[in-house]
Amino acid sequence: MASTPTQRHAVVVEDDADIRGLLVLILEQLDFVVTEAPDGLSGVEAVRETNAELVTLDVNLPDIDGMEVCRQLREFSDAYILMLTARADEIDRLNGLDTGADDYINKPFSPKELQARIRALFRRARTPAAPAEDARQTDELARAAVVQKSLLPQETVRLNNYDVAGAFRPTRSVGGDFYDWYQTPSGMHLTFADAMGKGMGAALIAATVRAVMRSVADTPAIADAFNSASATITSDLDQSGSFVTMFHARLNSSTGLLSYIDAGHGLGLHVPAVGATRRLVSAGPPVGILEGQQWPAAELQLDPGDALVIVSDGVLDAHDSLEDFMRNVEKAVRSEATSDEACAALLELAPAATAEDDVTAVVVRRKPNAGLEGNHQTIRH
């Protein structure tokens, strides 16, 4: 499949205007030139006209369904086809793949997961290496790296009966990953975010997000705090054409109750002391996509021995499937004695030699004997 590093074409076939707009933004962040199609027939023609290398294809369309679109595309195109469906039953999934689709993803989807799936598809045919960076670009990346490093928490937080750690490893391109935490009278606040894009622009957006989130720390209700902060952040993002995925949480350390909001991040996991690991569902799109968007809060009970794990898409990118990702994250967390060691193991899931994005991890583990001990535990980074 012919492709150049600077200009790849994609076609978004989706009848819902809001979802179509989100898909366009996600693909543009991956440097695709994107053509929109609101129905199946116009989608087929758009692929024919642009010779697209990627097609995101909704199953339920107003004219012909996505299965038929996929069959027609395979008559003349070898584009990667990623099908999106709100119908989660296995028959639809298998039918989609039998018609020539390369992968599928269920709605509602995480932008991070979607980007990871797309990167995995294109890894099958590696593009030529990009030309060497000039001195100006190298200097900008160095300055962006300094900004990004400064966003990591500097203060030490001590919580009874908790073992909490974070780890961050940037790539040469420097993205917008960061995590932040600080102690409160009842426990701690935690923010994990990724500003889409690379270089100084992404680093500055991340710095803005961190400052705004800290400014609402005293707002009693997490949903009120987050929605107020997001309105401020969105106004800034309008000027840059970017968006931010975020996971924000407040922990009551005495009860283990964690209130959280996931805005398009989708890479938070609950690893219980006993039982299956589950992925925490996003409450809505990333911040900056829709004006006036509100995100409801959810709650998670961290019992003794339980862990909250949040990772960046750099970890997800290193896996060929969501199932492999969840299995390896769970193994990394369960096999290590401390959260610090677990974070190191999570970063190793995306080796530095092959990682294409920043790799970040935070682990909040309630100690198994939490009801018995009274010592303080230091949060490390």
Side-chain angles (χ1 to χ4, degrees):
M1 180 180 301
S3 177
T4 69
T6 57
Q7 192 169 67
R8 299 182 297 184
H9 289 82
V11 172
V12 172
V13 187
E14 169 64 58
D15 62 322
D16 185 290
D18 289 336
I19 296 176
R20 191 167 66 245
L22 174 59
L23 289 168
V24 170
L25 281 173
I26 291 170
L27 294 176
E28 287 179 342
Q29 289 292 335
L30 293 176
D31 296 324
F32 283 93
V33 176
V34 186
T35 301
E36 303 177 44
D39 54 58
L41 292 176
S42 63
V44 172
E45 289 308 307
V47 175
R48 193 188 304 273
E49 292 173 3
T50 63
N51 194 26
E53 296 155 287
L54 173 70
V55 181
T56 66
L57 177 57
D58 186 25
V59 170
N60 298 303
L61 296 167
D63 48 1
I64 58 176
D65 68 18
M67 306 297 183
E68 178 59 27
V69 173
C70 192
R71 293 188 188 97
Q72 293 189 23
L73 291 179
R74 282 295 174 242
E75 293 178 359
F76 65 90
S77 173
D78 63 348
Y80 293 119
I81 298 177
L82 179 61
M83 302 194 76
L84 289 81
T85 176
R87 307 191 315 223
D89 59 284
E90 191 65 21
I91 294 177
D92 274 347
R93 296 180 180 183
L94 294 176
N95 282 345
L97 297 176
D98 287 345
T99 57
D102 295 281
D103 201 356
Y104 65 87
I105 188 170
N106 288 334
K107 296 178 181 178
F109 56 85
S110 159
K112 295 295 186 184
E113 181 184 351
L114 180 62
Q115 289 190 334
R117 297 283 188 97
I118 292 169
R119 290 190 183 106
L121 290 175
F122 278 85
R123 279 201 298 269
R124 299 175 188 174
R126 290 282 187 181
T127 56
E133 298 164 348
D134 60 28
R136 180 180 300 177
Q137 183 180 11
T138 301
D139 180 62
E140 179 185 340
L141 292 177
R143 288 184 288 113
V146 171
V147 173
Q148 192 175 28
K149 185 177 181 181
S150 72
L151 302 179
L152 301 180
Q154 302 301 314
E155 62 263 45
T156 297
V157 180
R158 298 181 181 275
L159 295 176
N160 289 337
N161 304 311
Y162 287 85
D163 179 18
V164 186
F168 167 72
R169 190 188 71 223
T171 59
R172 290 180 67 248
S173 57
V174 185
D177 283 15
F178 82 92
Y179 63 90
D180 185 35
W181 57 45
Y182 48 90
Q183 190 161 348
T184 65
S186 61
M188 66 175 288
H189 289 184
L190 166 68
T191 300
F192 193 111
D194 184 4
M196 304 307 293
K198 300 294 181 185
M200 184 58 79
L204 291 177
I205 290 172
T208 299
V209 172
R210 180 182 186 272
V212 173
M213 291 306 300
R214 283 202 167 214
S215 73
V216 297
D218 293 334
T219 303
I222 186 174
D224 292 342
F226 189 89
N227 289 324
S228 173
S230 67
T232 300
I233 295 167
T234 297
S235 65
D236 290 332
L237 292 174
D238 283 343
Q239 302 175 23
S240 65
S242 185
F243 59 90
V244 179
T245 65
M246 296 178 62
F247 183 97
H248 180 66
R250 295 180 173 185
L251 172 66
N252 184 314
S253 58
S254 62
T255 65
L257 184 64
L258 185 95
S259 301
Y260 70 91
I261 292 176
D262 188 312
H265 187 71
L267 297 178
L269 286 81
H270 176 216
V271 182
V274 178
T277 293
R278 70 182 181 93
R279 187 178 171 199
L280 304 182
V281 179
S282 293
V287 176
I289 295 294
L290 299 174
E291 187 174 353
Q293 175 72 36
Q294 300 283 297
W295 290 264
E299 293 183 340
L300 171 66
Q301 179 63 44
L302 286 180
D303 292 324
D306 287 5
L308 167 71
V309 183
I310 317 163
V311 298
S312 65
D313 54 329
V315 179
L316 179 61
D317 285 350
H319 295 83
D320 291 330
S321 70
L322 181 62
E323 293 73 20
D324 288 344
F325 160 77
M326 291 188 63
R327 181 169 54 251
N328 287 336
V329 168
E330 179 180 18
K331 181 179 178 181
V333 174
R334 292 192 186 279
S335 62
E336 302 297 340
T338 69
S339 292
D340 202 31
E341 293 168 344
C343 283
L346 290 168
L347 264 59
E348 285 302 312
L349 295 178
T354 57
E356 300 176 357
D357 202 352
D358 296 342
V359 182
T360 313
V362 170
V363 176
V364 180
R365 194 196 313 252
R366 192 175 186 188
K367 297 167 71 173
N369 51 353
L372 303 177
E373 286 194 351
N375 65 300
H376 290 297
Q377 181 66 34
T378 301
I379 290 184
R380 298 174 298 276
H381 56 88

